[in-house]
Amino acid sequence: MCMSDRPVKIIGGGLAGSEAAWQLLRRGIPVRLYEMRPLKMTAAHKTGLLGELVCSNSLRSADILSAPGLLKEELRLAGSLIMEAALESRVPAGSAMAVDRQLFAEYITERLGSHPLFELVHEEIGEIPDDGIVIVSTGPLTSRAFSEALKGILEGEYLYFYDAIAPIVDADGIDYSIVFRASRYGKGGDDYLNCPMNEEEYNRFYDALISADRVRAREFEDEKFFEGCMPIEVMAERGRDTLRYGPMKPVGLRDPRTGKEPHAVVQLRLENRQGSSYNMVGFQTRLKWPEQDRVFRLIPGLRDVEFLRYGSIHRNTFINGPRFLSETLSLKNNPDLYIGGQLTGVEGYIESTATGLLAGINIWRRLTGRPPAIPPKETAHGGLLRHVTSSSPEGFQPSNINFGLIPPPEERIRDKREKKEYIVRRALQRWKEYLSEINEPQRCIIRR
Ligand SMILES: Cc1cc2nc3c(=O)[nH]c(=O)nc-3n(C[C@H](O)[C@H](O)[C@H](O)COP(=O)(O)OP(=O)(O)OC[C@H]3O[C@@H](n4cnc5c(N)ncnc54)[C@H](O)[C@@H]3O)c2cc1C
């Protein structure tokens, strides 16, 4: 086993930082992890434990035929500490993988803390260390002082704001006998799909929307929304017809089934080049996920869609990954500085974990003279990595894992279940090949 005397410094002991630390430690690389809690808390964390979950205790679907299920399986196969902790602290939650959050974080803290090559320093870091290799994984609630330091090295192109995320739906579930393709006044080609509503359908949808259960605003998020990211249900409260003059305006659109302008329209915008998913335009929302499922299915044409991503609004801090990140997750202009977790532009617990895992593996490879190891694009890890490194930097938005990030089967498969089975089988095969390649023994050259 290769040993390195100088520790890799990790700033932030959340999900990504803990996973990155583990991937280094288990390969013989010493780690010094800086975590500011409990000396200084974020507005959401409650303990000083490593790997604390800030909100839900769910790591999402356990179904291997779902994208989150696939990502978790890839993590498990790669010896992820976060997955090990999840399996040790699992609680029954139907088809989801949910954990006892206290046991989960205690397990992570104990496993890392008892490793002989691990050092934990409780300290708020205010400057980016400039000696040796550093992983920055301070998360969506990065402390203010450190945000300023990051801004400095990112030439002001640092993003810190309230995320307003609209749901994304799977193209296969859309009812194309109802939904029609057109742009307003015929301008701009047929880029949008339109879900038309008559008055009765609109009223039913409106009543369900304004009475639906919402995620409570939290103290640290209690700020005014920009007009452009106002939740759809908050806008609806201004009056029954407000949405018809806003995101649901029907003007310039003609429903081919009736030849008339609908009473209201929900527009869907293509989310990816493969055409496998659509974004619900202007539908950023704070409705609880099961409520989004219930209410948005009332929209004609969307009854049977699968929600690849639910809408949400919360404070977020992330960098423009495609502009700044290399495929190893180091900064393009500073190869000693790696970024992990939500800061890279992924969204979610397991996604943050995945980027920590990739950063850890790549640092180990670099320190031991191995070339970078980039996961294949057909894997869930590869899909996420490409999202944060190869999307268009213009208007870059964070994403959680969904099948839209993974290339579709080479040949069209009509049956939805068969299609997912194919994608998952192909992903796991490629991931196993990748893991056996990265773990190949090699001559040990410690490069610093
Ligand atoms: C309010 C909120 C709710 C969320 N809910 C969910 C959810 O339910 N499900 C989901 O999948 N995702 C959720 N997310 C998104 C995201 O998945 C989590 O925030 C996830 O924990 C991100 O992982 P991370 O490792 O990037 O950051 P974190 O897990 O937040 O870890 C970052 C760590 O860095 C530390 N830190 C920050 N600044 C410094 C500093 N200057 N010096 C030293 N340490 C520092 C913090 O104390 C923290 O421990 C939520 C995000 C937010 C903000």
PDB file of all heavy atoms in Angstrom, residues 352-384:
ATOM      1  N   SER A 352     -24.011  14.460  -3.737  1.00  0.00           N
ATOM      2  CA  SER A 352     -22.867  15.113  -3.088  1.00  0.00           C
ATOM      3  C   SER A 352     -21.842  14.054  -2.686  1.00  0.00           C
ATOM      4  O   SER A 352     -20.634  14.222  -2.887  1.00  0.00           O
ATOM      5  CB  SER A 352     -23.332  15.885  -1.852  1.00  0.00           C
ATOM      6  OG  SER A 352     -24.215  16.905  -2.244  1.00  0.00           O
ATOM      7  N   THR A 353     -22.341  12.952  -2.161  1.00  0.00           N
ATOM      8  CA  THR A 353     -21.466  11.846  -1.786  1.00  0.00           C
ATOM      9  C   THR A 353     -20.659  11.360  -2.996  1.00  0.00           C
ATOM     10  O   THR A 353     -19.445  11.138  -2.912  1.00  0.00           O
ATOM     11  CB  THR A 353     -22.321  10.670  -1.247  1.00  0.00           C
ATOM     12  OG1 THR A 353     -23.084  11.138  -0.142  1.00  0.00           O
ATOM     13  CG2 THR A 353     -21.462   9.496  -0.835  1.00  0.00           C
ATOM     14  N   ALA A 354     -21.350  11.224  -4.127  1.00  0.00           N
ATOM     15  CA  ALA A 354     -20.700  10.683  -5.337  1.00  0.00           C
ATOM     16  C   ALA A 354     -19.535  11.567  -5.780  1.00  0.00           C
ATOM     17  O   ALA A 354     -18.474  11.064  -6.164  1.00  0.00           O
ATOM     18  CB  ALA A 354     -21.729  10.554  -6.466  1.00  0.00           C
ATOM     19  N   THR A 355     -19.700  12.884  -5.701  1.00  0.00           N
ATOM     20  CA  THR A 355     -18.598  13.755  -6.138  1.00  0.00           C
ATOM     21  C   THR A 355     -17.447  13.696  -5.138  1.00  0.00           C
ATOM     22  O   THR A 355     -16.282  13.797  -5.523  1.00  0.00           O
ATOM     23  CB  THR A 355     -19.057  15.219  -6.324  1.00  0.00           C
ATOM     24  OG1 THR A 355     -19.630  15.670  -5.104  1.00  0.00           O
ATOM     25  CG2 THR A 355     -20.057  15.351  -7.454  1.00  0.00           C
ATOM     26  N   GLY A 356     -17.766  13.511  -3.852  1.00  0.00           N
ATOM     27  CA  GLY A 356     -16.700  13.332  -2.850  1.00  0.00           C
ATOM     28  C   GLY A 356     -15.908  12.069  -3.153  1.00  0.00           C
ATOM     29  O   GLY A 356     -14.674  12.042  -3.095  1.00  0.00           O
ATOM     30  N   LEU A 357     -16.635  11.014  -3.506  1.00  0.00           N
ATOM     31  CA  LEU A 357     -15.978   9.737  -3.829  1.00  0.00           C
ATOM     32  C   LEU A 357     -15.045   9.909  -5.030  1.00  0.00           C
ATOM     33  O   LEU A 357     -13.887   9.475  -5.012  1.00  0.00           O
ATOM     34  CB  LEU A 357     -17.055   8.687  -4.122  1.00  0.00           C
ATOM     35  CG  LEU A 357     -16.563   7.305  -4.493  1.00  0.00           C
ATOM     36  CD1 LEU A 357     -17.161   6.248  -3.560  1.00  0.00           C
ATOM     37  CD2 LEU A 357     -16.923   6.929  -5.922  1.00  0.00           C
ATOM     38  N   LEU A 358     -15.526  10.588  -6.066  1.00  0.00           N
ATOM     39  CA  LEU A 358     -14.700  10.751  -7.277  1.00  0.00           C
ATOM     40  C   LEU A 358     -13.474  11.625  -7.004  1.00  0.00           C
ATOM     41  O   LEU A 358     -12.379  11.330  -7.485  1.00  0.00           O
ATOM     42  CB  LEU A 358     -15.536  11.347  -8.418  1.00  0.00           C
ATOM     43  CG  LEU A 358     -16.652  10.441  -8.970  1.00  0.00           C
ATOM     44  CD1 LEU A 358     -17.448  11.169 -10.045  1.00  0.00           C
ATOM     45  CD2 LEU A 358     -16.085   9.133  -9.523  1.00  0.00           C
ATOM     46  N   ALA A 359     -13.666  12.692  -6.211  1.00  0.00           N
ATOM     47  CA  ALA A 359     -12.515  13.561  -5.890  1.00  0.00           C
ATOM     48  C   ALA A 359     -11.478  12.755  -5.110  1.00  0.00           C
ATOM     49  O   ALA A 359     -10.274  12.810  -5.398  1.00  0.00           O
ATOM     50  CB  ALA A 359     -12.977  14.779  -5.087  1.00  0.00           C
ATOM     51  N   GLY A 360     -11.935  11.964  -4.124  1.00  0.00           N
ATOM     52  CA  GLY A 360     -11.013  11.161  -3.311  1.00  0.00           C
ATOM     53  C   GLY A 360     -10.231  10.172  -4.164  1.00  0.00           C
ATOM     54  O   GLY A 360      -9.005  10.068  -4.064  1.00  0.00           O
ATOM     55  N   ILE A 361     -10.945   9.469  -5.033  1.00  0.00           N
ATOM     56  CA  ILE A 361     -10.281   8.470  -5.885  1.00  0.00           C
ATOM     57  C   ILE A 361      -9.256   9.144  -6.789  1.00  0.00           C
ATOM     58  O   ILE A 361      -8.126   8.668  -6.960  1.00  0.00           O
ATOM     59  CB  ILE A 361     -11.325   7.691  -6.719  1.00  0.00           C
ATOM     60  CG1 ILE A 361     -12.109   6.741  -5.820  1.00  0.00           C
ATOM     61  CG2 ILE A 361     -10.663   6.923  -7.867  1.00  0.00           C
ATOM     62  CD1 ILE A 361     -13.249   5.998  -6.502  1.00  0.00           C
ATOM     63  N   ASN A 362      -9.622  10.270  -7.370  1.00  0.00           N
ATOM     64  CA  ASN A 362      -8.692  10.931  -8.299  1.00  0.00           C
ATOM     65  C   ASN A 362      -7.463  11.494  -7.609  1.00  0.00           C
ATOM     66  O   ASN A 362      -6.367  11.473  -8.168  1.00  0.00           O
ATOM     67  CB  ASN A 362      -9.412  11.990  -9.129  1.00  0.00           C
ATOM     68  CG  ASN A 362      -9.939  11.361 -10.419  1.00  0.00           C
ATOM     69  OD1 ASN A 362      -9.182  10.728 -11.155  1.00  0.00           O
ATOM     70  ND2 ASN A 362     -11.225  11.469 -10.644  1.00  0.00           N
ATOM     71  N   ILE A 363      -7.632  11.978  -6.373  1.00  0.00           N
ATOM     72  CA  ILE A 363      -6.458  12.481  -5.643  1.00  0.00           C
ATOM     73  C   ILE A 363      -5.517  11.311  -5.324  1.00  0.00           C
ATOM     74  O   ILE A 363      -4.301  11.395  -5.499  1.00  0.00           O
ATOM     75  CB  ILE A 363      -6.891  13.224  -4.364  1.00  0.00           C
ATOM     76  CG1 ILE A 363      -7.605  14.513  -4.759  1.00  0.00           C
ATOM     77  CG2 ILE A 363      -5.688  13.518  -3.474  1.00  0.00           C
ATOM     78  CD1 ILE A 363      -8.215  15.274  -3.615  1.00  0.00           C
ATOM     79  N   TRP A 364      -6.105  10.215  -4.872  1.00  0.00           N
ATOM     80  CA  TRP A 364      -5.271   9.032  -4.592  1.00  0.00           C
ATOM     81  C   TRP A 364      -4.498   8.615  -5.841  1.00  0.00           C
ATOM     82  O   TRP A 364      -3.299   8.343  -5.801  1.00  0.00           O
ATOM     83  CB  TRP A 364      -6.159   7.884  -4.094  1.00  0.00           C
ATOM     84  CG  TRP A 364      -5.500   6.545  -4.198  1.00  0.00           C
ATOM     85  CD1 TRP A 364      -4.446   6.079  -3.457  1.00  0.00           C
ATOM     86  CD2 TRP A 364      -5.826   5.505  -5.132  1.00  0.00           C
ATOM     87  NE1 TRP A 364      -4.106   4.805  -3.857  1.00  0.00           N
ATOM     88  CE2 TRP A 364      -4.939   4.432  -4.883  1.00  0.00           C
ATOM     89  CE3 TRP A 364      -6.790   5.363  -6.134  1.00  0.00           C
ATOM     90  CZ2 TRP A 364      -4.987   3.249  -5.606  1.00  0.00           C
ATOM     91  CZ3 TRP A 364      -6.833   4.176  -6.842  1.00  0.00           C
ATOM     92  CH2 TRP A 364      -5.928   3.143  -6.581  1.00  0.00           C
ATOM     93  N   ARG A 365      -5.189   8.598  -6.984  1.00  0.00           N
ATOM     94  CA  ARG A 365      -4.511   8.183  -8.219  1.00  0.00           C
ATOM     95  C   ARG A 365      -3.379   9.144  -8.570  1.00  0.00           C
ATOM     96  O   ARG A 365      -2.303   8.721  -8.955  1.00  0.00           O
ATOM     97  CB  ARG A 365      -5.526   8.080  -9.371  1.00  0.00           C
ATOM     98  CG  ARG A 365      -6.439   6.862  -9.205  1.00  0.00           C
ATOM     99  CD  ARG A 365      -7.357   6.679 -10.388  1.00  0.00           C
ATOM    100  NE  ARG A 365      -6.638   6.397 -11.622  1.00  0.00           N
ATOM    101  CZ  ARG A 365      -6.253   5.188 -12.030  1.00  0.00           C
ATOM    102  NH1 ARG A 365      -6.507   4.129 -11.287  1.00  0.00           N
ATOM    103  NH2 ARG A 365      -5.634   5.042 -13.177  1.00  0.00           N
ATOM    104  N   ARG A 366      -3.652  10.405  -8.381  1.00  0.00           N
ATOM    105  CA  ARG A 366      -2.610  11.386  -8.706  1.00  0.00           C
ATOM    106  C   ARG A 366      -1.405  11.212  -7.774  1.00  0.00           C
ATOM    107  O   ARG A 366      -0.254  11.217  -8.208  1.00  0.00           O
ATOM    108  CB  ARG A 366      -3.213  12.787  -8.551  1.00  0.00           C
ATOM    109  CG  ARG A 366      -2.222  13.861  -8.819  1.00  0.00           C
ATOM    110  CD  ARG A 366      -2.880  15.193  -8.817  1.00  0.00           C
ATOM    111  NE  ARG A 366      -1.888  16.193  -8.466  1.00  0.00           N
ATOM    112  CZ  ARG A 366      -2.178  17.398  -8.070  1.00  0.00           C
ATOM    113  NH1 ARG A 366      -3.428  17.775  -7.954  1.00  0.00           N
ATOM    114  NH2 ARG A 366      -1.220  18.237  -7.780  1.00  0.00           N
ATOM    115  N   LEU A 367      -1.682  11.031  -6.481  1.00  0.00           N
ATOM    116  CA  LEU A 367      -0.582  10.912  -5.520  1.00  0.00           C
ATOM    117  C   LEU A 367       0.219   9.628  -5.714  1.00  0.00           C
ATOM    118  O   LEU A 367       1.340   9.520  -5.243  1.00  0.00           O
ATOM    119  CB  LEU A 367      -1.141  10.933  -4.086  1.00  0.00           C
ATOM    120  CG  LEU A 367      -1.685  12.283  -3.620  1.00  0.00           C
ATOM    121  CD1 LEU A 367      -2.311  12.160  -2.245  1.00  0.00           C
ATOM    122  CD2 LEU A 367      -0.573  13.326  -3.606  1.00  0.00           C
ATOM    123  N   THR A 368      -0.366   8.666  -6.377  1.00  0.00           N
ATOM    124  CA  THR A 368       0.339   7.406  -6.566  1.00  0.00           C
ATOM    125  C   THR A 368       0.770   7.208  -8.024  1.00  0.00           C
ATOM    126  O   THR A 368       0.976   6.081  -8.477  1.00  0.00           O
ATOM    127  CB  THR A 368      -0.534   6.215  -6.104  1.00  0.00           C
ATOM    128  OG1 THR A 368      -1.790   6.293  -6.761  1.00  0.00           O
ATOM    129  CG2 THR A 368      -0.733   6.220  -4.614  1.00  0.00           C
ATOM    130  N   GLY A 369       0.828   8.324  -8.752  1.00  0.00           N
ATOM    131  CA  GLY A 369       1.374   8.282 -10.108  1.00  0.00           C
ATOM    132  C   GLY A 369       0.480   7.638 -11.135  1.00  0.00           C
ATOM    133  O   GLY A 369       0.941   7.256 -12.216  1.00  0.00           O
ATOM    134  N   ARG A 370      -0.781   7.509 -10.826  1.00  0.00           N
ATOM    135  CA  ARG A 370      -1.704   6.911 -11.806  1.00  0.00           C
ATOM    136  C   ARG A 370      -2.392   8.020 -12.608  1.00  0.00           C
ATOM    137  O   ARG A 370      -2.600   9.122 -12.088  1.00  0.00           O
ATOM    138  CB  ARG A 370      -2.763   6.079 -11.083  1.00  0.00           C
ATOM    139  CG  ARG A 370      -2.223   4.835 -10.391  1.00  0.00           C
ATOM    140  CD  ARG A 370      -3.299   4.285  -9.446  1.00  0.00           C
ATOM    141  NE  ARG A 370      -3.065   2.904  -9.086  1.00  0.00           N
ATOM    142  CZ  ARG A 370      -2.402   2.516  -8.005  1.00  0.00           C
ATOM    143  NH1 ARG A 370      -1.860   3.411  -7.189  1.00  0.00           N
ATOM    144  NH2 ARG A 370      -2.260   1.240  -7.739  1.00  0.00           N
ATOM    145  N   PRO A 371      -2.808   7.721 -13.830  1.00  0.00           N
ATOM    146  CA  PRO A 371      -3.534   8.740 -14.607  1.00  0.00           C
ATOM    147  C   PRO A 371      -4.949   8.948 -14.046  1.00  0.00           C
ATOM    148  O   PRO A 371      -5.450   8.085 -13.316  1.00  0.00           O
ATOM    149  CB  PRO A 371      -3.600   8.135 -16.014  1.00  0.00           C
ATOM    150  CG  PRO A 371      -3.434   6.669 -15.820  1.00  0.00           C
ATOM    151  CD  PRO A 371      -2.622   6.464 -14.567  1.00  0.00           C
ATOM    152  N   PRO A 372      -5.598  10.065 -14.379  1.00  0.00           N
ATOM    153  CA  PRO A 372      -6.965  10.298 -13.891  1.00  0.00           C
ATOM    154  C   PRO A 372      -7.903   9.165 -14.300  1.00  0.00           C
ATOM    155  O   PRO A 372      -7.692   8.531 -15.334  1.00  0.00           O
ATOM    156  CB  PRO A 372      -7.380  11.596 -14.582  1.00  0.00           C
ATOM    157  CG  PRO A 372      -6.119  12.238 -15.029  1.00  0.00           C
ATOM    158  CD  PRO A 372      -5.119  11.134 -15.246  1.00  0.00           C
ATOM    159  N   ALA A 373      -8.907   8.914 -13.478  1.00  0.00           N
ATOM    160  CA  ALA A 373      -9.889   7.861 -13.792  1.00  0.00           C
ATOM    161  C   ALA A 373     -11.256   8.522 -13.900  1.00  0.00           C
ATOM    162  O   ALA A 373     -11.813   8.946 -12.890  1.00  0.00           O
ATOM    163  CB  ALA A 373      -9.893   6.809 -12.691  1.00  0.00           C
ATOM    164  N   ILE A 374     -11.768   8.622 -15.117  1.00  0.00           N
ATOM    165  CA  ILE A 374     -13.036   9.312 -15.351  1.00  0.00           C
ATOM    166  C   ILE A 374     -14.122   8.256 -15.570  1.00  0.00           C
ATOM    167  O   ILE A 374     -13.999   7.422 -16.477  1.00  0.00           O
ATOM    168  CB  ILE A 374     -12.948  10.223 -16.606  1.00  0.00           C
ATOM    169  CG1 ILE A 374     -11.661  11.069 -16.560  1.00  0.00           C
ATOM    170  CG2 ILE A 374     -14.192  11.078 -16.761  1.00  0.00           C
ATOM    171  CD1 ILE A 374     -11.488  11.912 -15.334  1.00  0.00           C
ATOM    172  N   PRO A 375     -15.167   8.260 -14.773  1.00  0.00           N
ATOM    173  CA  PRO A 375     -16.190   7.205 -14.934  1.00  0.00           C
ATOM    174  C   PRO A 375     -16.903   7.306 -16.280  1.00  0.00           C
ATOM    175  O   PRO A 375     -17.127   8.404 -16.782  1.00  0.00           O
ATOM    176  CB  PRO A 375     -17.168   7.477 -13.786  1.00  0.00           C
ATOM    177  CG  PRO A 375     -16.915   8.869 -13.358  1.00  0.00           C
ATOM    178  CD  PRO A 375     -15.507   9.202 -13.713  1.00  0.00           C
ATOM    179  N   PRO A 376     -17.247   6.160 -16.875  1.00  0.00           N
ATOM    180  CA  PRO A 376     -17.918   6.169 -18.185  1.00  0.00           C
ATOM    181  C   PRO A 376     -19.242   6.934 -18.137  1.00  0.00           C
ATOM    182  O   PRO A 376     -19.931   6.921 -17.116  1.00  0.00           O
ATOM    183  CB  PRO A 376     -18.178   4.687 -18.466  1.00  0.00           C
ATOM    184  CG  PRO A 376     -17.307   3.929 -17.532  1.00  0.00           C
ATOM    185  CD  PRO A 376     -17.048   4.801 -16.350  1.00  0.00           C
ATOM    186  N   LYS A 377     -19.582   7.555 -19.261  1.00  0.00           N
ATOM    187  CA  LYS A 377     -20.784   8.392 -19.297  1.00  0.00           C
ATOM    188  C   LYS A 377     -22.077   7.595 -19.102  1.00  0.00           C
ATOM    189  O   LYS A 377     -23.087   8.134 -18.705  1.00  0.00           O
ATOM    190  CB  LYS A 377     -20.856   9.193 -20.597  1.00  0.00           C
ATOM    191  CG  LYS A 377     -20.938   8.365 -21.870  1.00  0.00           C
ATOM    192  CD  LYS A 377     -20.964   9.287 -23.080  1.00  0.00           C
ATOM    193  CE  LYS A 377     -21.203   8.561 -24.392  1.00  0.00           C
ATOM    194  NZ  LYS A 377     -20.286   7.475 -24.714  1.00  0.00           N
ATOM    195  N   GLU A 378     -22.004   6.286 -19.320  1.00  0.00           N
ATOM    196  CA  GLU A 378     -23.209   5.455 -19.170  1.00  0.00           C
ATOM    197  C   GLU A 378     -23.532   5.158 -17.709  1.00  0.00           C
ATOM    198  O   GLU A 378     -24.565   4.585 -17.403  1.00  0.00           O
ATOM    199  CB  GLU A 378     -23.046   4.117 -19.913  1.00  0.00           C
ATOM    200  CG  GLU A 378     -22.934   4.224 -21.414  1.00  0.00           C
ATOM    201  CD  GLU A 378     -21.508   4.520 -21.877  1.00  0.00           C
ATOM    202  OE1 GLU A 378     -20.594   4.612 -21.007  1.00  0.00           O
ATOM    203  OE2 GLU A 378     -21.306   4.682 -23.093  1.00  0.00           O
ATOM    204  N   THR A 379     -22.617   5.511 -16.793  1.00  0.00           N
ATOM    205  CA  THR A 379     -22.875   5.254 -15.369  1.00  0.00           C
ATOM    206  C   THR A 379     -23.533   6.473 -14.732  1.00  0.00           C
ATOM    207  O   THR A 379     -23.458   7.585 -15.274  1.00  0.00           O
ATOM    208  CB  THR A 379     -21.557   4.967 -14.625  1.00  0.00           C
ATOM    209  OG1 THR A 379     -20.725   6.144 -14.699  1.00  0.00           O
ATOM    210  CG2 THR A 379     -20.812   3.798 -15.238  1.00  0.00           C
ATOM    211  N   ALA A 380     -24.144   6.263 -13.548  1.00  0.00           N
ATOM    212  CA  ALA A 380     -24.763   7.395 -12.854  1.00  0.00           C
ATOM    213  C   ALA A 380     -23.689   8.401 -12.435  1.00  0.00           C
ATOM    214  O   ALA A 380     -23.875   9.621 -12.558  1.00  0.00           O
ATOM    215  CB  ALA A 380     -25.540   6.884 -11.636  1.00  0.00           C
ATOM    216  N   HIS A 381     -22.548   7.900 -11.959  1.00  0.00           N
ATOM    217  CA  HIS A 381     -21.453   8.804 -11.591  1.00  0.00           C
ATOM    218  C   HIS A 381     -20.970   9.608 -12.806  1.00  0.00           C
ATOM    219  O   HIS A 381     -20.715  10.804 -12.714  1.00  0.00           O
ATOM    220  CB  HIS A 381     -20.270   8.019 -11.002  1.00  0.00           C
ATOM    221  CG  HIS A 381     -20.440   7.656  -9.566  1.00  0.00           C
ATOM    222  ND1 HIS A 381     -21.227   6.630  -9.154  1.00  0.00           N
ATOM    223  CD2 HIS A 381     -19.917   8.217  -8.434  1.00  0.00           C
ATOM    224  CE1 HIS A 381     -21.185   6.543  -7.828  1.00  0.00           C
ATOM    225  NE2 HIS A 381     -20.397   7.508  -7.369  1.00  0.00           N
ATOM    226  N   GLY A 382     -20.847   8.904 -13.940  1.00  0.00           N
ATOM    227  CA  GLY A 382     -20.394   9.568 -15.171  1.00  0.00           C
ATOM    228  C   GLY A 382     -21.383  10.646 -15.607  1.00  0.00           C
ATOM    229  O   GLY A 382     -20.986  11.736 -16.023  1.00  0.00           O
ATOM    230  N   GLY A 383     -22.683  10.346 -15.475  1.00  0.00           N
ATOM    231  CA  GLY A 383     -23.711  11.318 -15.864  1.00  0.00           C
ATOM    232  C   GLY A 383     -23.627  12.578 -15.012  1.00  0.00           C
ATOM    233  O   GLY A 383     -23.690  13.703 -15.522  1.00  0.00           O
ATOM    234  N   LEU A 384     -23.463  12.379 -13.715  1.00  0.00           N
ATOM    235  CA  LEU A 384     -23.360  13.539 -12.815  1.00  0.00           C
ATOM    236  C   LEU A 384     -22.105  14.349 -13.119  1.00  0.00           C
ATOM    237  O   LEU A 384     -22.134  15.579 -13.156  1.00  0.00           O
ATOM    238  CB  LEU A 384     -23.258  13.064 -11.355  1.00  0.00           C
ATOM    239  CG  LEU A 384     -24.543  12.742 -10.615  1.00  0.00           C
ATOM    240  CD1 LEU A 384     -24.211  12.237  -9.227  1.00  0.00           C
ATOM    241  CD2 LEU A 384     -25.464  13.950 -10.534  1.00  0.00           C
TER     242      LEU A 384
END
